[in-house]
Amino acid sequence: MNRISAPIRTLLLLILLISSIIIPAMGQGPATIYFADARESPGKVYSSAASGSESVYFARPSGNIYTFSFHPFVPEKLYYVNANDNKIFLATKTAAGVWSSTDQAVYTHSTYIRDLEYYPTSTGELQVYFSESSGARADGQIYLLSGGAAVPYYTVRLSDVDGYWAGYFIHDSEGNLYLSSGNRVPASIYRVSGGTVSKIYTSGTAPIAGMAYRDGSIYYANWGSEIHRLDLSTLTDAVVRSQPGHTWISDVAIRSPGAVTGALADASGITVPGMGKQVIGKTAQGFSKNPIDQLNPQPEPPGPKYY
């Protein structure tokens, strides 16, 4: 009877052990996760499969991409931000599958924009939020774009977030707000609810940058080469993507399961001159002509649930 030598047995056991650690971690989460690497210029948004294989989903013509957000119902509209710029840009994909070739600035702020979120409410409204921050120098601010103006939505006090906030935030499906420290170690995630800020998780080994929420979990970029999943019920942190070759993964996104193409009740989009009729996702009445800062032309902005 053939016997396996001790060195070979040891090697096989080591391979099985590594597989048991890596394969389940890489298989968790949605089939496709999107991410940006803030170091790259021109900036790109990548798609990453469960295996970790990646491809370029979108590339802007020049400048970095720190954070980005898909239109919740029309994935062919991608909004993105360079954290060292004061503009929100839009890219659109035509029916032929071609992205717009120039940066389309759809909103200009008075100072740097750090993060943005395109959020669908439970009542079907679409709300756009963005943040400004200065790290450890001063309190930060999250704004709601409403009626053509940036309305202060929530003030992030440094005393509530251990003295540092890089501007990253996300809402869950119930409208609760989460903040992450950004590019520092240790880094934490904070939950804002009922007027109270609670630290729910801390990583002592890597930063916690841009976040995405899906099905009771927060997915976050670690400002390195990994994307993590934090289960909010157990606070278990697992690596769900490892992207060798990237060193500043700054944001992640998961496309909405309700994203569709074709006629929509309300796409709340932006017309791109010369492309409006070609852009996938137009409404039954035609492509919306509201700019991004007029998606919710209400006389009063909705009150935050935690004020």
PDB file of all heavy atoms in Angstrom, residues 29 31 49 63 75 84 86 97 112 116 134 140 150 161 163 197 215 217 226 230 243 250 252-253 275 306:
ATOM      1  N   GLY A  29     -21.270  37.534   0.723  1.00  0.00           N
ATOM      2  CA  GLY A  29     -21.722  38.792   0.177  1.00  0.00           C
ATOM      3  C   GLY A  29     -22.300  38.668  -1.212  1.00  0.00           C
ATOM      4  O   GLY A  29     -22.437  37.578  -1.770  1.00  0.00           O
ATOM      5  N   ALA A  31     -22.918  38.822  -5.318  1.00  0.00           N
ATOM      6  CA  ALA A  31     -22.106  38.255  -6.396  1.00  0.00           C
ATOM      7  C   ALA A  31     -21.143  39.284  -6.971  1.00  0.00           C
ATOM      8  O   ALA A  31     -20.027  38.940  -7.377  1.00  0.00           O
ATOM      9  CB  ALA A  31     -23.013  37.709  -7.491  1.00  0.00           C
ATOM     10  N   ALA A  49     -15.958  40.141  -8.760  1.00  0.00           N
ATOM     11  CA  ALA A  49     -16.772  38.940  -8.615  1.00  0.00           C
ATOM     12  C   ALA A  49     -16.448  38.253  -7.290  1.00  0.00           C
ATOM     13  O   ALA A  49     -15.495  38.608  -6.595  1.00  0.00           O
ATOM     14  CB  ALA A  49     -16.517  37.989  -9.778  1.00  0.00           C
ATOM     15  N   GLY A  63      -8.477  62.866 -13.318  1.00  0.00           N
ATOM     16  CA  GLY A  63      -8.783  63.080 -11.910  1.00  0.00           C
ATOM     17  C   GLY A  63      -9.113  61.790 -11.180  1.00  0.00           C
ATOM     18  O   GLY A  63      -9.420  60.765 -11.778  1.00  0.00           O
ATOM     19  N   PRO A  75     -28.907  51.976 -12.898  1.00  0.00           N
ATOM     20  CA  PRO A  75     -27.473  51.761 -12.691  1.00  0.00           C
ATOM     21  C   PRO A  75     -26.609  52.348 -13.789  1.00  0.00           C
ATOM     22  O   PRO A  75     -25.394  52.426 -13.635  1.00  0.00           O
ATOM     23  CB  PRO A  75     -27.355  50.229 -12.641  1.00  0.00           C
ATOM     24  CG  PRO A  75     -28.558  49.722 -13.379  1.00  0.00           C
ATOM     25  CD  PRO A  75     -29.644  50.711 -13.090  1.00  0.00           C
ATOM     26  N   ASN A  84     -10.795  65.833  -3.062  1.00  0.00           N
ATOM     27  CA  ASN A  84     -10.022  67.072  -3.096  1.00  0.00           C
ATOM     28  C   ASN A  84     -10.595  68.052  -4.110  1.00  0.00           C
ATOM     29  O   ASN A  84      -9.897  68.917  -4.626  1.00  0.00           O
ATOM     30  CB  ASN A  84      -8.559  66.766  -3.406  1.00  0.00           C
ATOM     31  CG  ASN A  84      -7.919  65.922  -2.321  1.00  0.00           C
ATOM     32  OD1 ASN A  84      -8.012  66.258  -1.148  1.00  0.00           O
ATOM     33  ND2 ASN A  84      -7.288  64.833  -2.704  1.00  0.00           N
ATOM     34  N   ASN A  86     -14.632  70.118  -5.203  1.00  0.00           N
ATOM     35  CA  ASN A  86     -15.908  70.551  -4.624  1.00  0.00           C
ATOM     36  C   ASN A  86     -17.098  70.245  -5.516  1.00  0.00           C
ATOM     37  O   ASN A  86     -18.136  70.891  -5.414  1.00  0.00           O
ATOM     38  CB  ASN A  86     -15.861  72.053  -4.313  1.00  0.00           C
ATOM     39  CG  ASN A  86     -15.714  72.912  -5.564  1.00  0.00           C
ATOM     40  OD1 ASN A  86     -15.272  72.419  -6.610  1.00  0.00           O
ATOM     41  ND2 ASN A  86     -16.081  74.184  -5.478  1.00  0.00           N
ATOM     42  N   GLY A  97     -24.026  51.029 -24.710  1.00  0.00           N
ATOM     43  CA  GLY A  97     -23.062  50.566 -23.720  1.00  0.00           C
ATOM     44  C   GLY A  97     -21.835  51.434 -23.593  1.00  0.00           C
ATOM     45  O   GLY A  97     -20.836  51.010 -23.013  1.00  0.00           O
ATOM     46  N   TYR A 112     -14.599  71.247  -0.192  1.00  0.00           N
ATOM     47  CA  TYR A 112     -14.412  69.870  -0.635  1.00  0.00           C
ATOM     48  C   TYR A 112     -15.593  68.974  -0.261  1.00  0.00           C
ATOM     49  O   TYR A 112     -16.138  69.067   0.845  1.00  0.00           O
ATOM     50  CB  TYR A 112     -13.146  69.272  -0.013  1.00  0.00           C
ATOM     51  CG  TYR A 112     -11.866  69.968  -0.407  1.00  0.00           C
ATOM     52  CD1 TYR A 112     -10.844  70.141   0.510  1.00  0.00           C
ATOM     53  CD2 TYR A 112     -11.670  70.440  -1.699  1.00  0.00           C
ATOM     54  CE1 TYR A 112      -9.655  70.765   0.155  1.00  0.00           C
ATOM     55  CE2 TYR A 112     -10.495  71.056  -2.067  1.00  0.00           C
ATOM     56  CZ  TYR A 112      -9.492  71.227  -1.137  1.00  0.00           C
ATOM     57  OH  TYR A 112      -8.326  71.856  -1.501  1.00  0.00           O
ATOM     58  N   LEU A 116     -20.675  60.847  -0.837  1.00  0.00           N
ATOM     59  CA  LEU A 116     -22.043  61.109  -1.271  1.00  0.00           C
ATOM     60  C   LEU A 116     -22.842  59.818  -1.229  1.00  0.00           C
ATOM     61  O   LEU A 116     -22.301  58.721  -1.275  1.00  0.00           O
ATOM     62  CB  LEU A 116     -22.094  61.711  -2.674  1.00  0.00           C
ATOM     63  CG  LEU A 116     -21.927  60.766  -3.877  1.00  0.00           C
ATOM     64  CD1 LEU A 116     -22.531  61.396  -5.113  1.00  0.00           C
ATOM     65  CD2 LEU A 116     -20.469  60.441  -4.122  1.00  0.00           C
ATOM     66  N   SER A 134     -13.024  67.874   7.772  1.00  0.00           N
ATOM     67  CA  SER A 134     -11.619  68.314   7.794  1.00  0.00           C
ATOM     68  C   SER A 134     -10.794  67.444   8.737  1.00  0.00           C
ATOM     69  O   SER A 134      -9.863  67.929   9.373  1.00  0.00           O
ATOM     70  CB  SER A 134     -11.535  69.784   8.207  1.00  0.00           C
ATOM     71  OG  SER A 134     -12.134  69.975   9.481  1.00  0.00           O
ATOM     72  N   GLY A 140     -17.681  67.956  11.316  1.00  0.00           N
ATOM     73  CA  GLY A 140     -18.084  67.762   9.929  1.00  0.00           C
ATOM     74  C   GLY A 140     -19.569  68.001   9.736  1.00  0.00           C
ATOM     75  O   GLY A 140     -20.316  68.209  10.697  1.00  0.00           O
ATOM     76  N   ALA A 150     -28.202  73.029  -0.726  1.00  0.00           N
ATOM     77  CA  ALA A 150     -27.654  72.068   0.224  1.00  0.00           C
ATOM     78  C   ALA A 150     -28.144  72.450   1.611  1.00  0.00           C
ATOM     79  O   ALA A 150     -27.791  73.500   2.145  1.00  0.00           O
ATOM     80  CB  ALA A 150     -26.129  72.075   0.167  1.00  0.00           C
ATOM     81  N   VAL A 161     -16.993  61.177  17.801  1.00  0.00           N
ATOM     82  CA  VAL A 161     -16.339  60.179  16.931  1.00  0.00           C
ATOM     83  C   VAL A 161     -14.839  60.089  17.224  1.00  0.00           C
ATOM     84  O   VAL A 161     -14.025  59.931  16.314  1.00  0.00           O
ATOM     85  CB  VAL A 161     -16.593  60.492  15.434  1.00  0.00           C
ATOM     86  CG1 VAL A 161     -18.047  60.248  15.072  1.00  0.00           C
ATOM     87  CG2 VAL A 161     -16.195  61.936  15.099  1.00  0.00           C
ATOM     88  N   GLY A 163     -12.672  62.203  17.945  1.00  0.00           N
ATOM     89  CA  GLY A 163     -11.806  63.291  17.504  1.00  0.00           C
ATOM     90  C   GLY A 163     -11.411  63.306  16.045  1.00  0.00           C
ATOM     91  O   GLY A 163     -10.601  64.150  15.638  1.00  0.00           O
ATOM     92  N   VAL A 197     -25.148  58.952  19.479  1.00  0.00           N
ATOM     93  CA  VAL A 197     -24.093  58.360  18.670  1.00  0.00           C
ATOM     94  C   VAL A 197     -23.457  57.227  19.473  1.00  0.00           C
ATOM     95  O   VAL A 197     -22.968  57.442  20.583  1.00  0.00           O
ATOM     96  CB  VAL A 197     -23.027  59.401  18.289  1.00  0.00           C
ATOM     97  CG1 VAL A 197     -21.941  58.763  17.423  1.00  0.00           C
ATOM     98  CG2 VAL A 197     -23.664  60.581  17.562  1.00  0.00           C
ATOM     99  N   ASP A 215     -28.812  44.137   3.440  1.00  0.00           N
ATOM    100  CA  ASP A 215     -29.340  42.984   4.169  1.00  0.00           C
ATOM    101  C   ASP A 215     -28.717  42.802   5.549  1.00  0.00           C
ATOM    102  O   ASP A 215     -28.243  41.719   5.907  1.00  0.00           O
ATOM    103  CB  ASP A 215     -29.138  41.708   3.347  1.00  0.00           C
ATOM    104  CG  ASP A 215     -29.898  41.744   2.029  1.00  0.00           C
ATOM    105  OD1 ASP A 215     -30.919  42.444   1.961  1.00  0.00           O
ATOM    106  OD2 ASP A 215     -29.458  41.085   1.076  1.00  0.00           O
ATOM    107  N   SER A 217     -26.004  44.095   6.848  1.00  0.00           N
ATOM    108  CA  SER A 217     -24.546  44.152   6.931  1.00  0.00           C
ATOM    109  C   SER A 217     -24.027  45.440   6.306  1.00  0.00           C
ATOM    110  O   SER A 217     -24.644  46.003   5.393  1.00  0.00           O
ATOM    111  CB  SER A 217     -23.904  42.961   6.222  1.00  0.00           C
ATOM    112  OG  SER A 217     -24.220  41.742   6.869  1.00  0.00           O
ATOM    113  N   GLU A 226      -8.489  45.424   0.546  1.00  0.00           N
ATOM    114  CA  GLU A 226      -9.580  44.543   0.968  1.00  0.00           C
ATOM    115  C   GLU A 226     -10.914  45.258   1.108  1.00  0.00           C
ATOM    116  O   GLU A 226     -10.973  46.461   1.382  1.00  0.00           O
ATOM    117  CB  GLU A 226      -9.235  43.893   2.312  1.00  0.00           C
ATOM    118  CG  GLU A 226      -8.035  42.967   2.261  1.00  0.00           C
ATOM    119  CD  GLU A 226      -7.663  42.430   3.622  1.00  0.00           C
ATOM    120  OE1 GLU A 226      -8.165  42.976   4.652  1.00  0.00           O
ATOM    121  OE2 GLU A 226      -6.880  41.464   3.677  1.00  0.00           O
ATOM    122  N   LEU A 230     -19.277  43.636   7.668  1.00  0.00           N
ATOM    123  CA  LEU A 230     -19.563  43.646   9.097  1.00  0.00           C
ATOM    124  C   LEU A 230     -21.034  43.295   9.289  1.00  0.00           C
ATOM    125  O   LEU A 230     -21.927  44.055   8.897  1.00  0.00           O
ATOM    126  CB  LEU A 230     -19.270  45.021   9.702  1.00  0.00           C
ATOM    127  CG  LEU A 230     -19.577  45.153  11.199  1.00  0.00           C
ATOM    128  CD1 LEU A 230     -18.614  44.300  12.024  1.00  0.00           C
ATOM    129  CD2 LEU A 230     -19.514  46.613  11.639  1.00  0.00           C
ATOM    130  N   GLN A 243      -8.218  42.350  -3.268  1.00  0.00           N
ATOM    131  CA  GLN A 243      -7.883  42.834  -4.608  1.00  0.00           C
ATOM    132  C   GLN A 243      -6.412  43.219  -4.672  1.00  0.00           C
ATOM    133  O   GLN A 243      -6.057  44.393  -4.544  1.00  0.00           O
ATOM    134  CB  GLN A 243      -8.766  44.033  -4.969  1.00  0.00           C
ATOM    135  CG  GLN A 243     -10.263  43.830  -4.760  1.00  0.00           C
ATOM    136  CD  GLN A 243     -10.859  42.769  -5.656  1.00  0.00           C
ATOM    137  OE1 GLN A 243     -11.848  42.134  -5.321  1.00  0.00           O
ATOM    138  NE2 GLN A 243     -10.263  42.562  -6.821  1.00  0.00           N
ATOM    139  N   SER A 250     -11.003  52.938  -1.496  1.00  0.00           N
ATOM    140  CA  SER A 250     -11.581  54.000  -0.677  1.00  0.00           C
ATOM    141  C   SER A 250     -13.096  53.931  -0.554  1.00  0.00           C
ATOM    142  O   SER A 250     -13.671  54.525   0.370  1.00  0.00           O
ATOM    143  CB  SER A 250     -11.195  55.367  -1.262  1.00  0.00           C
ATOM    144  OG  SER A 250     -11.543  55.430  -2.642  1.00  0.00           O
ATOM    145  N   VAL A 252     -16.924  51.493  -1.626  1.00  0.00           N
ATOM    146  CA  VAL A 252     -17.567  50.305  -2.176  1.00  0.00           C
ATOM    147  C   VAL A 252     -19.027  50.628  -2.455  1.00  0.00           C
ATOM    148  O   VAL A 252     -19.596  51.548  -1.870  1.00  0.00           O
ATOM    149  CB  VAL A 252     -17.477  49.098  -1.217  1.00  0.00           C
ATOM    150  CG1 VAL A 252     -16.037  48.715  -0.963  1.00  0.00           C
ATOM    151  CG2 VAL A 252     -18.186  49.393   0.107  1.00  0.00           C
ATOM    152  N   ALA A 253     -19.624  49.870  -3.346  1.00  0.00           N
ATOM    153  CA  ALA A 253     -21.047  50.029  -3.648  1.00  0.00           C
ATOM    154  C   ALA A 253     -21.611  48.692  -4.085  1.00  0.00           C
ATOM    155  O   ALA A 253     -20.902  47.843  -4.635  1.00  0.00           O
ATOM    156  CB  ALA A 253     -21.264  51.082  -4.733  1.00  0.00           C
ATOM    157  N   MET A 275     -27.469  63.556 -25.521  1.00  0.00           N
ATOM    158  CA  MET A 275     -27.520  62.135 -25.202  1.00  0.00           C
ATOM    159  C   MET A 275     -28.837  61.738 -24.550  1.00  0.00           C
ATOM    160  O   MET A 275     -29.070  60.568 -24.294  1.00  0.00           O
ATOM    161  CB  MET A 275     -26.369  61.755 -24.249  1.00  0.00           C
ATOM    162  CG  MET A 275     -24.995  61.930 -24.847  1.00  0.00           C
ATOM    163  SD  MET A 275     -23.716  61.612 -23.630  1.00  0.00           S
ATOM    164  CE  MET A 275     -24.065  59.909 -23.215  1.00  0.00           C
ATOM    165  N   TYR A 306     -33.244  61.306  13.637  1.00  0.00           N
ATOM    166  CA  TYR A 306     -32.488  61.274  14.889  1.00  0.00           C
ATOM    167  C   TYR A 306     -32.188  62.660  15.400  1.00  0.00           C
ATOM    168  O   TYR A 306     -31.321  62.861  16.210  1.00  0.00           O
ATOM    169  CB  TYR A 306     -31.177  60.500  14.699  1.00  0.00           C
ATOM    170  CG  TYR A 306     -30.607  60.621  13.323  1.00  0.00           C
ATOM    171  CD1 TYR A 306     -29.920  61.747  12.925  1.00  0.00           C
ATOM    172  CD2 TYR A 306     -30.819  59.601  12.407  1.00  0.00           C
ATOM    173  CE1 TYR A 306     -29.432  61.864  11.653  1.00  0.00           C
ATOM    174  CE2 TYR A 306     -30.316  59.708  11.125  1.00  0.00           C
ATOM    175  CZ  TYR A 306     -29.632  60.839  10.769  1.00  0.00           C
ATOM    176  OH  TYR A 306     -29.155  60.937   9.496  1.00  0.00           O
TER     177      TYR A 306
END
